[in-house]
Short mmCIF file of all heavy atoms in Angstrom, two decimals:
data_model
loop_
_atom_site.label_atom_id
_atom_site.label_comp_id
_atom_site.label_asym_id
_atom_site.label_seq_id
_atom_site.Cartn_x
_atom_site.Cartn_y
_atom_site.Cartn_z
N PHE A 1 146.15 149.55 55.86
CA PHE A 1 146.92 150.76 55.57
C PHE A 1 146.67 151.85 56.61
O PHE A 1 146.62 153.04 56.28
CB PHE A 1 146.59 151.29 54.17
CG PHE A 1 146.71 150.27 53.06
CD1 PHE A 1 145.75 150.20 52.06
CD2 PHE A 1 147.79 149.39 53.01
CE1 PHE A 1 145.86 149.27 51.03
CE2 PHE A 1 147.91 148.45 51.98
CZ PHE A 1 146.94 148.40 50.99
N GLY A 2 146.50 151.48 57.86
CA GLY A 2 146.26 152.45 58.92
C GLY A 2 144.84 152.95 58.99
O GLY A 2 144.54 153.86 59.76
N MET A 3 143.94 152.38 58.18
CA MET A 3 142.53 152.76 58.17
C MET A 3 141.69 151.49 58.28
O MET A 3 142.21 150.41 58.53
CB MET A 3 142.19 153.52 56.88
CG MET A 3 143.01 154.77 56.69
SD MET A 3 142.60 155.61 55.16
CE MET A 3 143.82 156.94 55.21
N THR A 4 140.39 151.64 58.07
CA THR A 4 139.52 150.47 57.98
C THR A 4 138.75 150.55 56.67
O THR A 4 138.10 151.56 56.39
CB THR A 4 138.52 150.39 59.15
OG1 THR A 4 139.25 150.35 60.38
CG2 THR A 4 137.66 149.15 59.03
N GLY A 5 138.89 149.51 55.86
CA GLY A 5 138.13 149.43 54.62
C GLY A 5 136.83 148.69 54.86
O GLY A 5 136.78 147.71 55.60
N TRP A 6 135.74 149.17 54.22
CA TRP A 6 134.42 148.57 54.39
C TRP A 6 133.82 148.24 53.03
O TRP A 6 134.02 148.95 52.05
CB TRP A 6 133.47 149.54 55.11
CG TRP A 6 133.92 149.96 56.47
CD1 TRP A 6 134.65 151.08 56.78
CD2 TRP A 6 133.69 149.28 57.71
NE1 TRP A 6 134.88 151.14 58.13
CE2 TRP A 6 134.31 150.05 58.73
CE3 TRP A 6 133.02 148.10 58.05
CZ2 TRP A 6 134.27 149.68 60.08
CZ3 TRP A 6 132.98 147.74 59.38
CH2 TRP A 6 133.60 148.51 60.37
N THR A 7 133.05 147.17 52.98
CA THR A 7 132.35 146.81 51.76
C THR A 7 131.08 146.03 52.11
O THR A 7 130.74 145.85 53.28
CB THR A 7 133.27 146.01 50.82
OG1 THR A 7 132.65 145.89 49.53
CG2 THR A 7 133.53 144.61 51.37
N ILE A 8 130.38 145.59 51.07
CA ILE A 8 129.16 144.78 51.23
C ILE A 8 129.56 143.31 51.31
O ILE A 8 130.35 142.84 50.50
CB ILE A 8 128.21 144.99 50.03
CG1 ILE A 8 127.91 146.48 49.82
CG2 ILE A 8 126.93 144.18 50.21
CD1 ILE A 8 127.03 147.11 50.85
N PRO A 9 129.01 142.55 52.25
CA PRO A 9 129.31 141.12 52.32
C PRO A 9 128.63 140.36 51.19
O PRO A 9 127.77 140.90 50.48
CB PRO A 9 128.76 140.70 53.68
CG PRO A 9 127.63 141.65 53.92
CD PRO A 9 128.07 142.96 53.31
N PRO A 10 129.00 139.07 50.97
CA PRO A 10 128.31 138.29 49.94
C PRO A 10 126.80 138.31 50.16
O PRO A 10 126.34 138.34 51.30
CB PRO A 10 128.87 136.88 50.16
CG PRO A 10 130.24 137.14 50.72
CD PRO A 10 130.07 138.33 51.60
N ASN A 11 126.08 138.41 49.04
CA ASN A 11 126.37 137.94 47.70
C ASN A 11 127.24 138.84 46.84
O ASN A 11 127.42 138.58 45.64
CB ASN A 11 125.07 137.66 46.95
CG ASN A 11 124.15 138.88 46.89
OD1 ASN A 11 123.87 139.56 47.87
ND2 ASN A 11 123.63 139.15 45.71
N SER A 12 127.80 139.92 47.38
CA SER A 12 128.75 140.77 46.65
C SER A 12 130.15 140.15 46.70
O SER A 12 130.52 139.50 47.69
CB SER A 12 128.79 142.16 47.28
OG SER A 12 129.95 142.87 46.89
N GLN A 13 130.94 140.39 45.65
CA GLN A 13 132.34 139.97 45.65
C GLN A 13 133.24 141.03 46.29
O GLN A 13 134.47 140.96 46.18
CB GLN A 13 132.82 139.71 44.22
CG GLN A 13 132.87 140.96 43.35
CD GLN A 13 133.71 140.83 42.09
OE1 GLN A 13 134.36 139.82 41.87
NE2 GLN A 13 133.67 141.83 41.24
N GLY A 14 132.64 142.00 46.99
CA GLY A 14 133.41 143.12 47.52
C GLY A 14 134.56 142.74 48.42
O GLY A 14 135.55 143.47 48.51
N TYR A 15 134.46 141.58 49.11
CA TYR A 15 135.54 141.18 50.01
C TYR A 15 136.87 141.06 49.29
O TYR A 15 137.93 141.21 49.90
CB TYR A 15 135.19 139.84 50.67
CG TYR A 15 135.53 138.62 49.84
CD1 TYR A 15 136.73 137.94 50.04
CD2 TYR A 15 134.66 138.14 48.88
CE1 TYR A 15 137.05 136.83 49.28
CE2 TYR A 15 134.97 137.04 48.12
CZ TYR A 15 136.17 136.38 48.32
OH TYR A 15 136.48 135.27 47.56
N LEU A 16 136.84 140.80 47.96
CA LEU A 16 138.08 140.63 47.22
C LEU A 16 138.96 141.87 47.29
O LEU A 16 140.18 141.77 47.39
CB LEU A 16 137.79 140.29 45.75
CG LEU A 16 137.32 138.88 45.44
CD1 LEU A 16 136.95 138.76 43.97
CD2 LEU A 16 138.38 137.85 45.81
N THR A 17 138.36 143.05 47.22
CA THR A 17 139.15 144.28 47.29
C THR A 17 139.90 144.35 48.61
O THR A 17 141.12 144.60 48.64
CB THR A 17 138.24 145.51 47.15
OG1 THR A 17 137.54 145.45 45.91
CG2 THR A 17 139.06 146.79 47.21
N LEU A 18 139.20 144.15 49.72
CA LEU A 18 139.82 144.26 51.03
C LEU A 18 140.83 143.15 51.26
O LEU A 18 141.92 143.38 51.81
CB LEU A 18 138.76 144.25 52.13
CG LEU A 18 137.62 145.28 52.00
CD1 LEU A 18 136.75 145.26 53.26
CD2 LEU A 18 138.17 146.68 51.76
N ALA A 19 140.51 141.94 50.82
CA ALA A 19 141.43 140.81 50.99
C ALA A 19 142.70 141.00 50.18
O ALA A 19 143.81 140.71 50.64
CB ALA A 19 140.73 139.50 50.61
N CYS A 20 142.55 141.51 48.94
CA CYS A 20 143.73 141.78 48.12
C CYS A 20 144.61 142.84 48.76
O CYS A 20 145.84 142.72 48.77
CB CYS A 20 143.31 142.25 46.73
SG CYS A 20 142.63 140.95 45.67
N CYS A 21 143.99 143.88 49.28
CA CYS A 21 144.75 144.93 49.96
C CYS A 21 145.50 144.37 51.16
O CYS A 21 146.66 144.73 51.41
CB CYS A 21 143.82 146.06 50.40
SG CYS A 21 143.24 147.14 49.07
N ARG A 22 144.85 143.48 51.90
CA ARG A 22 145.49 142.92 53.09
C ARG A 22 146.69 142.04 52.71
O ARG A 22 147.75 142.11 53.35
CB ARG A 22 144.48 142.11 53.92
CG ARG A 22 145.06 141.50 55.19
CD ARG A 22 145.66 142.54 56.10
NE ARG A 22 146.22 141.95 57.32
CZ ARG A 22 147.32 142.36 57.91
NH1 ARG A 22 148.01 143.39 57.40
NH2 ARG A 22 147.76 141.79 59.01
N ILE A 23 146.55 141.22 51.68
CA ILE A 23 147.68 140.40 51.24
C ILE A 23 148.82 141.28 50.75
O ILE A 23 150.00 141.05 51.06
CB ILE A 23 147.24 139.40 50.16
CG1 ILE A 23 146.38 138.29 50.80
CG2 ILE A 23 148.44 138.78 49.45
CD1 ILE A 23 145.86 137.27 49.81
N ALA A 24 148.48 142.32 49.99
CA ALA A 24 149.50 143.26 49.53
C ALA A 24 150.20 143.92 50.71
O ALA A 24 151.43 144.10 50.71
CB ALA A 24 148.88 144.31 48.62
N GLU A 25 149.43 144.25 51.74
CA GLU A 25 150.00 144.85 52.94
C GLU A 25 150.93 143.87 53.65
O GLU A 25 152.03 144.23 54.09
CB GLU A 25 148.87 145.30 53.87
CG GLU A 25 149.31 146.09 55.09
CD GLU A 25 148.12 146.55 55.92
OE1 GLU A 25 147.19 145.74 56.13
OE2 GLU A 25 148.12 147.71 56.34
N MET A 26 150.51 142.61 53.74
CA MET A 26 151.33 141.58 54.38
C MET A 26 152.66 141.37 53.64
O MET A 26 153.71 141.14 54.26
CB MET A 26 150.57 140.25 54.43
CG MET A 26 149.43 140.21 55.42
SD MET A 26 148.51 138.64 55.27
CE MET A 26 147.47 138.72 56.72
N LEU A 27 152.60 141.45 52.32
CA LEU A 27 153.79 141.21 51.51
C LEU A 27 154.64 142.46 51.33
O LEU A 27 155.71 142.41 50.70
CB LEU A 27 153.38 140.65 50.14
CG LEU A 27 152.71 139.28 50.16
CD1 LEU A 27 152.26 138.89 48.76
CD2 LEU A 27 153.64 138.22 50.74
N GLY A 28 154.17 143.59 51.85
CA GLY A 28 154.94 144.81 51.77
C GLY A 28 154.92 145.45 50.41
O GLY A 28 155.97 145.67 49.80
N VAL A 29 153.72 145.76 49.90
CA VAL A 29 153.61 146.34 48.57
C VAL A 29 154.42 147.64 48.49
O VAL A 29 154.42 148.46 49.40
CB VAL A 29 152.12 146.60 48.22
CG1 VAL A 29 151.51 147.67 49.11
CG2 VAL A 29 151.96 146.97 46.77
N ASP A 30 155.12 147.78 47.37
CA ASP A 30 156.00 148.93 47.16
C ASP A 30 155.19 150.20 46.97
O ASP A 30 154.14 150.19 46.34
CB ASP A 30 156.86 148.67 45.91
CG ASP A 30 158.10 149.55 45.87
OD1 ASP A 30 157.95 150.77 46.04
OD2 ASP A 30 159.20 149.01 45.67
N ARG A 31 155.70 151.32 47.48
CA ARG A 31 155.01 152.59 47.34
C ARG A 31 155.09 153.15 45.92
O ARG A 31 154.32 154.02 45.53
CB ARG A 31 155.61 153.63 48.30
CG ARG A 31 155.34 153.34 49.76
CD ARG A 31 156.15 154.29 50.64
NE ARG A 31 155.82 155.68 50.36
CZ ARG A 31 154.86 156.37 50.97
NH1 ARG A 31 154.11 155.77 51.88
NH2 ARG A 31 154.65 157.63 50.67
N SER A 32 156.05 152.68 45.14
CA SER A 32 156.28 153.25 43.82
C SER A 32 155.75 152.33 42.72
O SER A 32 155.34 151.20 42.98
CB SER A 32 157.78 153.51 43.61
OG SER A 32 158.51 152.30 43.78
N MET A 33 155.76 152.83 41.48
CA MET A 33 155.30 152.06 40.32
C MET A 33 156.44 151.15 39.86
O MET A 33 157.25 151.52 39.02
CB MET A 33 154.89 153.01 39.21
CG MET A 33 153.63 153.80 39.49
SD MET A 33 152.15 152.91 39.00
CE MET A 33 152.35 152.91 37.23
N THR A 34 156.52 149.95 40.44
CA THR A 34 157.57 149.01 40.08
C THR A 34 156.96 147.68 39.69
O THR A 34 155.81 147.37 40.04
CB THR A 34 158.55 148.79 41.25
OG1 THR A 34 157.82 148.16 42.33
CG2 THR A 34 159.14 150.10 41.73
N ASP A 35 157.74 146.85 39.00
CA ASP A 35 157.24 145.53 38.64
C ASP A 35 157.03 144.67 39.88
O ASP A 35 156.13 143.83 39.92
CB ASP A 35 158.18 144.83 37.65
CG ASP A 35 159.59 144.66 38.19
OD1 ASP A 35 160.34 145.64 38.19
OD2 ASP A 35 159.91 143.53 38.61
N ALA A 36 157.82 144.90 40.94
CA ALA A 36 157.63 144.15 42.17
C ALA A 36 156.29 144.46 42.80
O ALA A 36 155.56 143.56 43.26
CB ALA A 36 158.76 144.46 43.16
N SER A 37 155.92 145.74 42.81
CA SER A 37 154.64 146.15 43.37
C SER A 37 153.49 145.59 42.55
O SER A 37 152.51 145.05 43.11
CB SER A 37 154.56 147.67 43.43
OG SER A 37 153.31 148.10 43.95
N TRP A 38 153.57 145.73 41.24
CA TRP A 38 152.50 145.21 40.39
C TRP A 38 152.40 143.69 40.49
O TRP A 38 151.30 143.14 40.50
CB TRP A 38 152.73 145.65 38.93
CG TRP A 38 152.26 147.05 38.65
CD1 TRP A 38 152.27 148.09 39.51
CD2 TRP A 38 151.73 147.54 37.42
NE1 TRP A 38 151.78 149.22 38.90
CE2 TRP A 38 151.44 148.92 37.62
CE3 TRP A 38 151.49 146.98 36.17
CZ2 TRP A 38 150.90 149.73 36.62
CZ3 TRP A 38 150.95 147.78 35.16
CH2 TRP A 38 150.66 149.14 35.38
N HIS A 39 153.52 143.01 40.54
CA HIS A 39 153.51 141.56 40.68
C HIS A 39 152.78 141.14 41.96
O HIS A 39 151.95 140.22 41.94
CB HIS A 39 154.95 141.03 40.70
CG HIS A 39 155.07 139.58 41.06
ND1 HIS A 39 154.82 138.55 40.17
CD2 HIS A 39 155.40 138.97 42.23
CE1 HIS A 39 155.00 137.39 40.77
NE2 HIS A 39 155.35 137.61 42.02
N THR A 40 153.09 141.83 43.07
CA THR A 40 152.43 141.51 44.34
C THR A 40 150.92 141.69 44.23
O THR A 40 150.14 140.84 44.68
CB THR A 40 152.99 142.41 45.45
OG1 THR A 40 154.37 142.12 45.64
CG2 THR A 40 152.25 142.17 46.76
N GLN A 41 150.49 142.80 43.64
CA GLN A 41 149.06 143.06 43.53
C GLN A 41 148.38 142.05 42.60
O GLN A 41 147.29 141.55 42.90
CB GLN A 41 148.85 144.48 43.02
CG GLN A 41 149.31 145.57 43.97
CD GLN A 41 149.24 146.94 43.35
OE1 GLN A 41 148.18 147.38 42.91
NE2 GLN A 41 150.37 147.64 43.28
N ILE A 42 149.00 141.76 41.47
CA ILE A 42 148.42 140.82 40.50
C ILE A 42 148.28 139.43 41.12
O ILE A 42 147.23 138.78 41.00
CB ILE A 42 149.27 140.78 39.23
CG1 ILE A 42 149.15 142.09 38.46
CG2 ILE A 42 148.86 139.60 38.33
CD1 ILE A 42 150.19 142.28 37.37
N GLU A 43 149.32 138.98 41.79
CA GLU A 43 149.28 137.64 42.38
C GLU A 43 148.31 137.56 43.56
O GLU A 43 147.66 136.54 43.78
CB GLU A 43 150.69 137.21 42.81
CG GLU A 43 151.61 136.90 41.63
CD GLU A 43 151.08 135.76 40.76
OE1 GLU A 43 151.21 134.60 41.16
OE2 GLU A 43 150.51 136.05 39.69
#
C-alpha cells in the first residue's frame, strides 16, 4: 500500500497479516465497504 509493513518472523504467525495484505493488494481490494472487498480479504 505504498509503505512497508513489518512484523516478527516465525515462530510468530505475524507473516499472515502482511501476506494477506499483499494478496488483497494484488487482487485490487476495494476502498469501500463492499461484499467484493470483504470477499477478497476473507479468501
Side-chain angles (χ1 to χ4, degrees):
F1 308 138
M3 301 179 184
T4 302
W6 301 93
T7 191
I8 306 289
N11 57 312
S12 162
Q13 66 163 354
Y15 84 96
L16 285 175
T17 302
L18 306 187
C20 287
C21 285
R22 181 58 180 142
I23 288 179
E25 187 177 44
M26 288 175 169
L27 295 176
V29 66
D30 199 309
R31 291 171 59 90
S32 57
M33 290 273 292
T34 64
D35 59 282
S37 179
W38 279 32
H39 170 79
T40 296
Q41 294 173 58
I42 291 166
E43 289 299 283

